[in-house]
Amino acid sequence: MNREIRTDLAIELRENAGDDSELSGVRVKTVVNDDKSIKTTTIKVINEKGAKNLGKAVGEYITIECGKLKEYDESIHEPLMVELREKLKKLLGKDRNVLVVGLGNRQVTPDSIGPLVVDNLFITRHLAPEGNSEITLSAICPGVMAQTGIETVDIIRGICGEIEADVVIAVDALAARSSRRLGSTIQVTDTGISPGSGVGNNRKTLNEDNLGRRVIAVGVPTVISVPSIIDDSLDEVAEAFNETYGRKIMKEFSERQRYQMARSLIDQDMADMFVTPKNIDELVKRVSYTISEAINGI
């Protein structure tokens, strides 16, 4: 399947795969909380066929969606934090020595979630007695390659070896296909992460093969490409003319065709642009604090 419209979210790739109730090699389960404010979707890619069909590595992808994250509603922090904390605990299993990696560039607001999460962590590794059985946290913000000249995976590999970390939790900003998911979605996966992949700036993957220990990735979409915005709008325009027939017409086009159609409507310079919400400052502060509190509680 063609993945030209960029997204880091497994749930969007599953949606793009069509309306089939079952995609070979992929299992999906969705749970909504009592007041319907938080929706959690777990996608399991169980074999290589599923990985090929979805375009994601074999593993588990948990997507927590909460529209209230975009609002100034402090009441959502606690239930969302608890939901994320429980998912992290499940993926951590028996590992106790945890290294948190805040990926991204602190000086670029949409890319600052990783460093902001690290700022709010309660670091405990240096306080823990020898032979401690509780979870201990250490953390690092390695910056980006343009700042260091060093691949992030090489920095993290060296640190993991020195502190004998059991598992890495990597936190990063992501790209989405749908604007409604910006700042309101948290994805957690046990397959690692490729920094910058959603915006076409691929770096070496942070995963178990490259680091020698498991990598749990936590990400929040903060940017969307201009062609993706137009692609979303095509659905709205089609349905405005005729809800049933318009939707049917759009389904006749493949993802690649829709992407090419969207690109053809704009200048080349705009086609390579990514945009972010105007209140991104508040969004990243809010969601980074929730993530850090969830990690502090594991």
Side-chain angles (χ1 to χ4, degrees), residues 70 109-110 179 182-183 221-224 275-281 283:
K70 293 185 177 182
T109 303
S179 57
L182 297 180
T222 59
V223 296
I224 183 172
V275 297
T276 193
K278 65 179 181 180
N279 62 335
I280 189 63
D281 302 75
L283 286 177

Side-chain angles (χ1 to χ4, degrees), residues 180-191:
R180 68 181 176 84
R181 289 196 167 100
L182 297 180
S184 64
T185 302
I186 302 173
Q187 177 175 269
V188 185
T189 176
D190 60 1
T191 62

Side-chain angles (χ1 to χ4, degrees), residues 35 38 49 65 102-103 120-121 145-146 152 182 185 197-198 205-206 240 262 275 284-285:
D35 66 2
I38 299 174
K49 188 172 183 179
E65 298 178 83
L103 298 171
N120 288 310
L121 290 180
M145 195 173 184
T152 300
L182 297 180
T185 302
S197 61
T205 302
L206 274 65
V275 297
V284 297
K285 288 178 183 177

